[in-house]
């Protein structure tokens, strides 16, 4: 049977061979495999508009999202940075003040120039050592605050120990100021020192509470990837 010119698009086209679908029809899937046409999701891949599968949870059932830092830990971190900066400033002032005092003391010496120069040298050495110690201690709160975001329990313990020592020295300073205030000696300076001591004590307690509560404990026990 003749079907005319096969190149003629208006002529009758010959039937498609057996086993092959015609133009515009989806191919038949092998036996046992469901048919998949255009617009249907492929096997193993979500279709258009379908949500992707969630990522598996990490060890212990935690998801991959980072645990946010509690507000108490953030406040303690800021306080440690501020206190460390003030200690650095204080150490620098102690070094400069000691050097100026030693220079002025040596220039005001009279007949006993040798003894005065030795005494000035000893004072200058002591002041320099004290300033270096203050500067070294200033690194403690700064390094602790810098590692709070990625640190573990050891960083938390370091902050708690520093807050405890800060609380102890602040309370001791307040007791000494109260004793000096009762003797009516330089009342204005004592009151100013007491105000500073109260502020320092409040900051120290804030560090302790911010790092010792249960929210901070859960934060420092978080899994890290």
């Amino acid at each position: 049977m003749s079907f005319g010119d096969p190149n003629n698009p208006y002529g009758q086209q010959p039937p498609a061979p057996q086993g092959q679908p015609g133009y515009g029809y989806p191919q038949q899937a092998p036996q046992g495999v469901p048919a998949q046409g255009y617009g249907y999701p492929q096997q193993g891949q979500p279709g258009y508009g379908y949500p992707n599968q969630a990522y598996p949870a990490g060890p212990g059932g935690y998801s991959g999202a980072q645990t946010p830092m509690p507000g108490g830990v953030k406040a303690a971190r800021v306080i440690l940075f501020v206190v460390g900066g003030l200690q650095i400033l204080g150490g620098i002032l102690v070094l400069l003040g000691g050097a100026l005092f030693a220079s002025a003391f040596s220039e005001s010496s009279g007949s006993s120039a040798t003894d005065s120069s030795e005494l000035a040298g000893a004072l200058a050495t002591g002041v320099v050592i004290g300033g270096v110690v203050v500067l070294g201690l200033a690194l403690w709160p700064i390094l602790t605050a810098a590692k709070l975001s990625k640190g573990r329990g050891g960083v938390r313990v370091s902050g708690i120990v520093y807050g405890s020592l800060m609380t102890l020295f602040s309370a001791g300073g307040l007791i000494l100021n109260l004793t000096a205030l009762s003797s009516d000696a330089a009342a204005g300076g004592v009151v100013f020192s007491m105000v500073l001591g109260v502020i320092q004590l409040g900051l120290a307690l804030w560090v302790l509470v911010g790092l010792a509560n249960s929210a901070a404990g859960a934060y420092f026990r978080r899994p890290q990837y």
Side-chain angles (χ1 to χ4, degrees):
M1 181 175 179
S2 176
F3 293 96
D5 187 2
N7 297 324
N8 185 7
Y10 299 99
Q12 185 176 5
Q13 301 296 326
Q18 295 293 331
Q20 296 182 1
Y23 178 76
Y25 292 89
Q27 297 182 358
Q28 295 181 358
Q31 186 177 3
V33 179
Q36 299 178 0
Y38 178 77
Y40 291 89
Q42 302 294 326
Q43 293 291 333
Q45 297 181 357
Y48 180 77
Y50 290 85
N52 295 327
Q53 294 181 355
Y55 291 98
Y62 293 93
S63 61
Q66 295 183 355
T67 305
M69 182 182 294
V73 179
K74 291 181 180 180
R77 185 185 186 191
V78 173
I79 292 172
L80 290 174
F81 272 127
V82 172
V83 171
L86 292 177
Q87 284 187 358
I88 291 178
L89 181 60
I92 294 175
L93 293 178
V94 168
L95 290 176
L96 294 177
L100 292 176
F101 176 77
S103 176
F105 191 84
S106 61
E107 291 178 356
S108 63
S109 59
S111 58
S112 57
T114 304
D115 296 338
S116 299
S117 61
E118 291 179 356
L119 181 59
L123 289 176
T125 303
V127 172
V128 168
I129 293 176
V132 171
V133 171
V134 173
L135 291 176
L137 291 177
L139 296 177
W140 184 358
I142 291 177
L143 294 178
T144 301
K147 294 182 179 180
L148 281 179
S149 59
K150 297 181 180 180
R152 306 293 292 179
V155 181
R156 180 192 181 198
V157 172
S158 175
I160 292 176
V161 171
Y162 183 84
S164 301
L165 293 177
M166 188 176 173
T167 302
L168 179 62
F169 285 109
S170 300
L174 284 177
I175 294 175
L176 293 178
N177 287 328
L178 289 175
T179 304
L181 186 62
S182 62
S183 62
D184 296 332
V190 173
V191 170
F192 179 74
S193 179
M194 287 184 61
V195 172
L196 293 180
V198 169
I199 295 175
Q200 184 178 2
L201 180 60
L203 294 177
L205 292 176
W206 202 335
V207 171
L208 280 178
V209 173
L211 295 178
N213 56 25
S214 58
Y219 171 74
F220 286 102
R221 288 192 300 266
R222 72 194 186 281
Q224 295 185 355
Y225 304 102

